[in-house]
């Protein structure tokens, strides 16, 4: 597979995945951009992987989890010019986000927990594959999911009472 | 039920996903730029590694002439057999004049990992604020003149104080090192019959008045040194000087390989013979022979260019400061010989030496 072929089919799903991780289209674009630049520069290594797609997803997830430690967040924050590639979210979408409580609760979760939720309930991946992507044990994935769900449930209870 | 809500929330927010077209173009553009920079770096890095190897190789080829100056400041640190394990070599590029104390304009750490995969060339910014033993805090490049002294600068002592400063700063054990002066550079350039460079902007020397026009030209030793000293009057000052230095380094490697110097051991030893006496070698020369022997064991001689992570300069601070978050992590990786991992996690940090 060439990089071009990979990008043709996989860029859109990766971008959607990044939106679910970050909850924000701008940050999702930056996350995917930074990851895919590295993918392109190191394509031979990526192509050698059993599943290039999973390899890239792992790169992207690690980049997201390492957010604060890495430098790309800082670059994003310091960048002066607005990215013209990003369409401004429409009012409709924005207000939908505001109304969407569960979406906003997600942003309070630790990043690894959020990533497990996205991989489980958006990408519908089995625990073993999630563990592979996050580089942890299957048990860790399960406990991470149940802890994240417990946090969300607590928010529910609080909001309803 | 919360699981179902989650699935629904994710699906609902798919509409936030921006179009991929502009993103794809931006990725291609960025990757192209980074690939070009990386290539430029690799050429320049090879030149610096060549210089490093030359410096290391000198005592072997010219033992009687390049005998290191007696090192009064030597701590007598013995590193023992170093053929295995990681190695750290300190390279100092020094602006030396008879009239004024020399400054170490480039401070480089050549790290050779234990697995001998490839060398890492770590530059420490010359304007970095560091504690200098016995001299308070100052810019890193000031350690050299503090050590060397004013009247008749002793390069070995300058090297020694810089070595201590860098050791304190990084916690890295330095196995050996060498000092490359402009004089050595001049001899080296003349030994390969001049170096071709293509300048992107014209440069007027503030020292000799010589004009270097924009475009391609061949420089002899004296002209090379003159050009590499120019910083004032360039649009971006010391950044542009570093750029010229990279151009020069690339030209030097091209020229040396055209003349077959890199591949022909007879020519190489002749070149070392010429340049050798001009190089000041660190006093701990016991390991040099071992070092030279390990050069062929490297799987790749293309060095990875890195620099110590620096925080964003604030206001009109005349010093640079190490990044409080990234620098310790980087230095730990350097100490523990895990730079490969670090680079894998921070590929954007691989850069031309600034």
């Amino acid at each position: 597979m060439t990089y071009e072929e990979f990008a043709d089919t996989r860029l859109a799903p990766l971008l959607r995945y990044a939106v679910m991780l970050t909850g924000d289209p701008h940050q999702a674009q930056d996350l995917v951009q930074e990851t895919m630049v590295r993918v392109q520069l190191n394509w031979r290594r990526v192509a050698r992987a059993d599943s290039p797609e999973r390899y890239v997803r792992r790169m992207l997830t690690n980049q997201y989890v390492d957010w604060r430690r890495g430098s790309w967040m800082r670059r994003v924050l310091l960048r002066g010019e607005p990215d013209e590639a990003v369409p401004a979210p429409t009012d409709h979408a924005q207000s939908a986000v505001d109304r969407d409580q569960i979406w906003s609760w997600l942003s309070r979760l630790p990043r690894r927990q959020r990533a497990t939720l996205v991989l489980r309930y958006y990408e519908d991946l089995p625990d073993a594959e999630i563990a592979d992507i996050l580089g942890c044990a299957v048990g860790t994935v399960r406990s991470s999911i149940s802890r994240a769900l417990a946090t969300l449930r607590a928010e529910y209870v609080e909001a309803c009472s | 039920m919360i699981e179902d809500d989650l699935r629904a929330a994710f699906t609902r927010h798919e509409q936030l996903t921006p179009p991929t077209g502009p993103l794809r173009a931006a990725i291609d553009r960025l990757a192209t730029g980074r690939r070009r920079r990386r290539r430029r770096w690799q050429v320049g890095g090879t030149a610096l590694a060549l210089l490093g190897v030359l410096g290391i190789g000198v005592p072997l080829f010219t033992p009687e002439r390049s005998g290191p100056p007696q090192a009064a400041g030597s701590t007598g640190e013995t590193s023992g057999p170093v053929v295995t394990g990681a190695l750290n070599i300190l390279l100092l590029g020094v602006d030396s004049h008879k009239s004024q104390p020399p400054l170490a304009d480039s401070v480089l750490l050549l790290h050779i990992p234990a697995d001998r995969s490839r060398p890492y060339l770590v530059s420490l910014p010359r304007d970095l604020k560091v504690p200098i033993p016995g001299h308070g805090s100052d810019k890193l490049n000031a350690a050299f003149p503090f050590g060397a002294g004013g009247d008749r600068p002793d390069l070995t002592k300058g090297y020694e104080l810089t070595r201590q400063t860098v050791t304190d700063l990084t916690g890295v054990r330095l196995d050996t090192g060498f000092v490359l002066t402009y004089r050595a550079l001049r001899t080296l350039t003349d030994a390969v019959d001049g170096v071709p460079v293509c300048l992107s902007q014209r440069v007027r020397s503030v020292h000799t008045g010589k004009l270097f026009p924009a475009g391609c030209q061949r420089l002899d030793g004296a002209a090379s040194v003159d050009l590499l000293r120019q910083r004032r009057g360039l649009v971006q000052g010391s950044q542009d000087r570093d750029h010229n230095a990279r151009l020069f380094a690339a030209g030097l490697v091209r020229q040396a390989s055209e003349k077959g110097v890199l591949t022909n051991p007879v020519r190489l030893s002749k070149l070392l013979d010429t340049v050798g006496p001009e190089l000041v070698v660190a006093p701990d020369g016991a390991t040099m022979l071992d070092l030279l022997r390990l050069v062929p064991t490297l799987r790749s001689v293309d060095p990875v260019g890195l620099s110590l992570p620096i925080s964003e300069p604030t206001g009109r601070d005349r010093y640079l400061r190490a990044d409080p978050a990234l620098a310790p992590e980087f230095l730990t990786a350097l100490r523990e010989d895990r730079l490969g991992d670090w680079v894998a996690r921070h590929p954007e940090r691989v850069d031309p030496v600034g």
Side-chain angles (χ1 to χ4, degrees):
Chain A
M1 189 174 20
T2 65
Y3 167 80
E4 300 301 325
E5 288 164 358
F6 180 83
D8 283 343
T9 55
R10 303 315 308 167
L11 190 58
L14 278 171
L15 191 53
R16 278 201 294 276
Y17 173 58
V19 167
M20 299 311 151
L21 284 180
T22 59
D24 175 89
H26 299 256
Q27 290 179 3
Q29 274 196 320
D30 283 315
L31 185 58
V32 172
Q33 177 177 298
E34 181 58 32
T35 308
M36 287 300 280
V37 167
R38 284 163 55 202
V39 166
Q40 197 181 124
L41 291 175
N42 303 298
W43 177 248
R44 259 177 305 180
R45 195 189 327 152
V46 175
R48 268 204 307 273
D50 293 337
S51 158
E53 198 212 332
R54 198 191 303 172
Y55 189 94
V56 172
R57 198 190 288 275
R58 197 187 308 154
M59 283 173 73
L60 191 137
T61 310
N62 285 336
Q63 181 112 30
Y64 164 72
V65 172
D66 282 349
W67 209 330
R68 213 172 283 274
R69 277 184 280 158
S71 64
W72 75 268
M73 179 58 172
R74 232 185 339 266
R75 251 198 328 267
V76 171
L77 290 176
L78 292 174
R79 195 179 53 190
E81 49 183 316
D83 197 337
E84 77 278 6
V86 185
T90 61
D91 280 342
H92 169 72
Q94 194 56 54
S95 56
V97 170
D98 290 341
R99 281 201 310 269
D100 210 325
Q101 282 187 313
I102 193 160
W103 185 253
S104 63
W105 292 335
L106 275 175
S107 65
R108 295 185 215 161
L109 291 176
R111 290 205 187 88
R112 280 183 83 85
Q113 287 187 18
R114 178 167 184 156
T116 52
L117 288 187
V118 173
L119 289 165
R120 188 76 186 77
Y121 297 110
Y122 179 65
E123 301 287 346
D124 284 321
L125 295 180
D127 289 347
E129 205 160 321
I130 299 176
D132 180 51
I133 287 172
L134 289 170
C136 63
V138 174
T140 317
V141 171
R142 291 198 185 120
S143 67
S144 175
I145 289 177
S146 69
R147 214 170 305 139
L149 290 180
T151 310
L152 293 181
R153 273 194 204 101
E155 297 278 4
Y156 254 123
V157 171
E158 204 171 306
C160 296
S161 60
Chain B
M1 70 163 212
I2 191 155
E3 290 89 338
D4 295 336
D5 283 355
L6 260 176
R7 283 185 214 275
F10 285 136
T11 313
R12 229 176 10 253
H13 287 86
E14 276 185 345
Q15 57 167 325
L16 282 180
T17 312
T20 54
L23 177 61
R24 177 122 184 225
I27 291 166
D28 288 347
R29 205 169 51 237
L30 272 168
T32 308
R34 223 176 274 178
R35 201 174 285 132
R36 201 174 293 143
R37 276 206 305 279
R38 188 198 268 184
R39 203 170 302 138
R40 208 160 54 212
W41 155 252
Q42 276 173 351
V43 180
T46 311
L48 285 165
L50 169 71
L51 296 180
V53 170
L54 287 177
I56 294 159
V58 168
L60 179 68
F61 286 103
T62 61
E64 65 291 339
R65 285 209 276 153
S66 73
Q70 279 312 302
S74 166
T75 55
E77 186 183 82
T78 50
S79 1
V82 288
V83 181
T84 58
L87 282 171
N88 296 297
I89 300 153
L90 182 63
L91 313 178
L92 301 180
V94 169
D95 178 359
S96 67
H97 296 288
K98 292 189 186 77
S99 52
Q100 64 195 65
L103 290 171
D105 274 342
S106 44
V107 180
L108 294 170
L109 245 168
L110 181 64
H111 173 81
I112 299 176
D115 64 9
R116 301 288 179 262
S117 48
R118 60 197 311 192
Y120 292 83
L121 204 42
V122 180
S123 72
L124 305 172
R126 53 172 223 149
D127 289 337
L128 190 69
K129 185 171 190 178
V130 290
I132 299 173
H135 298 271
S137 274
D138 211 318
K139 291 187 180 182
L140 178 57
N141 68 347
F144 199 89
F146 279 147
D151 287 342
R152 279 183 51 83
D154 179 341
L155 298 188
T156 313
K157 286 184 183 163
Y159 168 82
E160 197 47 41
L161 188 60
T162 309
R163 188 188 69 78
Q164 274 170 25
T165 307
V166 171
T167 306
D168 292 352
L169 171 72
T170 60
V172 168
R173 181 203 54 162
L174 296 167
D175 298 288
T176 185
F178 83 104
V179 179
L180 182 71
T181 62
Y182 280 147
R183 216 151 62 99
L185 194 66
R186 191 170 60 211
T187 315
L188 184 62
T189 307
D190 284 335
V192 296
D193 296 336
V195 167
V197 293
C198 296
L199 298 178
S200 48
Q201 59 170 309
R202 57 170 235 163
V203 179
R204 165 82 70 183
S205 167
V206 297
H207 299 96
T208 63
K210 184 177 162 66
L211 179 73
F212 299 89
C216 298
Q217 55 216 287
R218 177 176 286 268
L219 303 176
D220 63 8
S224 303
V225 170
D226 194 16
L227 173 70
L228 293 181
R229 288 178 66 199
Q230 301 313 314
R231 173 166 57 100
R232 300 213 168 78
L234 299 190
V235 180
Q236 290 194 64
S238 107
Q239 256 172 295
D240 280 348
R241 176 167 69 177
D242 289 338
H243 176 64
N244 287 340
R246 280 199 294 275
L247 289 179
F248 176 81
L252 180 63
V253 162
R254 225 172 293 133
Q255 179 70 10
S257 70
E258 248 168 53
K259 307 220 95 195
V261 172
L262 297 184
T263 46
N264 182 332
V266 179
R267 292 228 176 106
L268 183 60
S269 73
K270 215 186 239 165
L271 177 67
L272 295 171
D273 211 28
T274 320
V275 185
E278 305 284 353
L279 285 167
V280 177
V281 187
D284 32 20
T287 61
M288 300 264 181
L289 201 123
D290 301 332
L291 282 176
L292 188 74
R293 275 203 214 104
L294 74 82
V295 170
T297 69
L298 288 177
R299 268 182 273 148
S300 162
V301 290
D302 273 345
V304 179
L306 295 170
S307 39
L308 182 71
I310 297 302
S311 36
E312 293 288 326
T314 49
R316 298 179 54 83
D317 199 346
R318 53 189 279 265
Y319 298 109
L320 291 176
R321 286 155 209 277
D323 186 314
L326 277 178
E329 189 192 328
F330 171 78
L331 290 173
T332 308
L334 176 59
R335 271 195 301 272
E336 296 175 358
D337 193 20
R338 291 187 291 100
L339 275 185
D341 289 352
W342 195 85
V343 167
R345 265 181 296 130
H346 303 275
E348 73 284 356
R349 290 270 161 187
V350 177
D351 248 336
V353 167

